[in-house]
Each structure stands twice: as structure tokens, then as C-alpha cells.
Amino acid sequence: MTGQEKMMKVLCLHGFRTNGGFLRKQISKWDPSIFQHFQLDYPDGIFLAGGKSDIEGVFPPPYYEWFQYNKEFTEYENLEECISFLCDYMMKNGPFDGLLGFSQVGCSTSSSSGRLSSPGKLLTELLSSGQVLKDHPPIKFLVSISGSMFRDPSICDIAYRDPIKVKSVHFIGEKDWLKLPSEDLASAFDNPLVLRHPQGHTVPRLGWYKSLPS
């Protein structure tokens, strides 16, 4: 990359009950040459973890949540607050060229594509840059790692009504408990790039995945 080329700015959103520093550590296993082209921003979630974190003893606290949900992932709390925070963050710290989300936020960033007024509206606006992000340039790409679709019909009927026309990459683990939901999410995008790896619910190392049609 020459000095004249501008690095692309990416908003990177960590998973449930972790933090931005942990996602940075997870992503650091990728080849360093990748990061020569990107400026990565790792904010923390807006709510302190309401329960035990899976990374206790592995990575230091505090741990955060972006929003809360029930076991079936059909009901959500503080979702509008989460999206409002992200919209404000993008306006104050952007503009951002891309979004990267792991697990819990893999769904909130990825279903953000364009059309909605309620949680669904806020979500889709993140990618389409409609009324909520009217002064932010359109997002160019999305990277979803172990993401999944929302299951609330009031969101799904609008957020996934039409193919999401944003370039997207979806990392899907063969042993991930969210494998099928991740596949469903990829199918909501127009011409997604699906990268499969043999691991579970994690950020995989690069170089041993299979690229397959969604």
C-alpha cells in the first residue's frame, strides 16, 4: 500500500459478554498483512455483562453486552438503545467503510441493510445508510463471524424481505452451534462469500477454509 492510499475503516463489534480488547485478540491470529489495508475500531458494548462470561479466566474484565435476548432469540431487550448507540458512534468516529461482527453482533450488523421504523428499521439502516444514518456514506462490506438472523417476525419481515445488497463474507464453523443460523443469515445476502472452517463458535485462523456457495 502506498502512502497515497487511504486505509479502509472498519467497525468491529465483539460477541456476547466479552469486550473490544478480546475481539482484537481473536482477530490478531489473522495474517498481519491483512491489517495493512484497514483501520480497525473495537468499541465496547454499552451494557455490563448481566451474568457469567465464557472468557472469565482467559481474558480480563470488564465484559459487556450489546443487548439482551431470550433463549429462543425471539425477544430482545435494549435493542433500539444498542442500534442508536452504534449510529451515534459511527457518526462521531466514522465514516466507516465496513462492519465486522462476531456472534451476537454478527446478527445486528448483518441484518442492517435498509428499509425499516422500530428495531428492524434501525438495524437495516446501518448498512443502507437511510434515515438513521442519512449523513453517513453507505457501508461497502460486512464480515460476519458465527452470526445469525433475528427471529422476531416483526424484524425479519422487513429486514430480510429483499436480498441485502452489500458485499459480505460469512465465516461458518462446521462444529459451531450457530452453523445453521449462520447459513440462513448468509442466504439473506445477495451473492455472499461463505468461508467454512472445521472449528466451532470462534474466530478461525485463515488459510484452511473452504469457499462455497451459500
Side-chain angles (χ1 to χ4, degrees):
M1 185 176 70
T2 68
Q4 300 300 318
E5 293 177 336
K6 181 180 178 181
M7 297 179 69
M8 301 186 77
K9 195 167 187 178
V10 184
L11 182 61
C12 304
L13 305 178
H14 64 80
F16 189 58
R17 294 180 180 170
T18 63
N19 55 44
F22 183 66
L23 180 59
R24 181 185 291 109
K25 178 181 178 181
Q26 291 177 294
I27 298 296
S28 69
K29 67 180 70 173
W30 291 355
D31 192 301
S33 64
I34 296 175
F35 306 112
Q36 297 176 8
H37 305 282
F38 300 98
Q39 179 183 346
L40 306 181
D41 192 326
Y42 298 90
D44 289 324
I46 54 178
F47 301 101
L48 285 171
K52 182 178 176 60
S53 170
D54 288 340
I55 64 171
E56 289 183 17
V58 177
F59 195 86
Y63 311 121
Y64 298 92
E65 303 170 2
W66 292 100
F67 57 92
Q68 297 78 39
Y69 48 88
N70 65 356
K71 183 178 180 180
E72 293 75 26
F73 208 62
T74 56
E75 298 178 3
Y76 319 102
E77 295 182 16
N78 298 312
L79 183 56
E80 289 201 32
E81 289 85 348
C82 166
I83 302 302
S84 294
F85 169 82
L86 292 177
C87 289
D88 290 341
Y89 191 91
M90 292 174 71
M91 292 303 302
K92 293 176 181 177
N93 299 280
F96 290 92
D97 298 285
L99 299 172
L100 181 151
F102 177 75
S103 191
Q104 179 191 36
V105 182
C107 65
S108 60
T109 55
S110 45
S111 60
S112 319
S113 109
R115 308 147 253 234
L116 311 153
S117 187
S118 71
K121 169 83 170 162
L122 294 170
L123 291 170
T124 57
E125 294 294 353
L126 278 184
L127 286 186
S128 67
S129 300
Q131 294 302 311
V132 175
L133 285 175
K134 60 183 178 181
D135 296 322
H136 189 285
I139 293 296
K140 300 173 183 176
F141 63 89
L142 165 85
V143 178
S144 176
I145 307 170
S146 295
S148 64
M149 298 175 70
F150 284 99
R151 297 177 183 173
D152 180 344
S154 67
I155 296 177
C156 296
D157 291 347
I158 302 176
Y160 311 120
R161 180 181 59 197
D162 301 316
I164 301 173
K165 296 185 180 299
V166 172
K167 292 181 179 180
S168 65
V169 178
H170 303 260
F171 289 90
I172 301 177
E174 291 299 320
K175 298 178 181 179
D176 192 348
W177 60 280
L178 283 179
K179 176 184 175 182
L180 294 180
S182 294
E183 292 173 340
D184 290 340
L185 175 61
S187 69
F189 283 79
D190 183 38
N191 195 29
L193 174 61
V194 177
L195 301 180
R196 299 184 182 273
H197 60 88
Q199 296 175 289
H201 195 68
T202 186
V203 176
R205 295 184 183 276
L206 300 183
W208 54 346
Y209 54 79
K210 296 185 296 183
S211 176
L212 298 174
S214 61

